[in-house]
Structures are given as structure tokens and as C-alpha cells.
Amino acid sequence: MSFRYYVSFSFQSPQGMGIAAIDFTITKRIEGASEIALIREDLARKGYAKPTVLAFSLYSEPKARNNSNRR
């Protein structure tokens, strides 16, 4: 199961501060600082300098997998 979020963030650029947004998929619900840290680390790996998460919003609740063998 994975959770898909809309994430807005700021970062440092050579021209000053930049603001952007991404789709971010994570295997657990964002519930605290540890999940925010994962997002910041991912943004840094993608080349954003000193990223700061400004806001996030869950697109929708994930659907449970349909297992037809389950009774």
C-alpha cells in the first residue's frame, strides 16, 4: 500500500529562494518529522539545495488490494 501526496516546498537557488511542488509517493502515511525528513532527503538527492517542506496534502486514501481468494 502506498500514499500519494502533493508536496509544496521551498529551496535555495543561485538567484535566491525558489518554491515548487511535486507528487510524492511513500509507503506509509505522513505522521511526523521522520516522514518529512524522508521527503527532504529525496528532494536533496534530486538537486534541491536546503529544501523545506511547506505543506502536503494526501490525494486520496489508498485502496485495499482486492484478493479474490480471501473469504
Side-chain angles (χ1 to χ4, degrees):
M1 185 178 309
S2 61
F3 297 86
R4 186 172 162 231
Y5 287 89
Y6 174 87
V7 178
S8 61
F9 62 98
S10 64
F11 60 96
Q12 274 192 334
S13 73
Q15 295 79 25
M17 185 181 91
I19 296 177
I22 60 165
D23 284 348
F24 188 80
T25 302
I26 190 170
T27 57
K28 57 184 180 175
R29 184 180 293 275
I30 296 175
E31 294 181 346
S34 61
E35 291 84 18
I36 299 296
L38 293 173
I39 296 170
R40 292 182 66 224
E41 291 168 8
D42 185 64
L43 292 169
R45 277 193 302 275
K46 291 178 179 174
Y48 294 100
K50 299 183 182 180
T52 299
V53 174
L54 301 174
F56 58 88
S57 178
L58 182 61
Y59 280 115
S60 64
E61 290 292 324
K63 294 180 182 177
R65 290 186 179 157
N66 184 9
N67 186 345
S68 60
N69 295 328
R70 231 165 107 184
R71 308 243 180 226

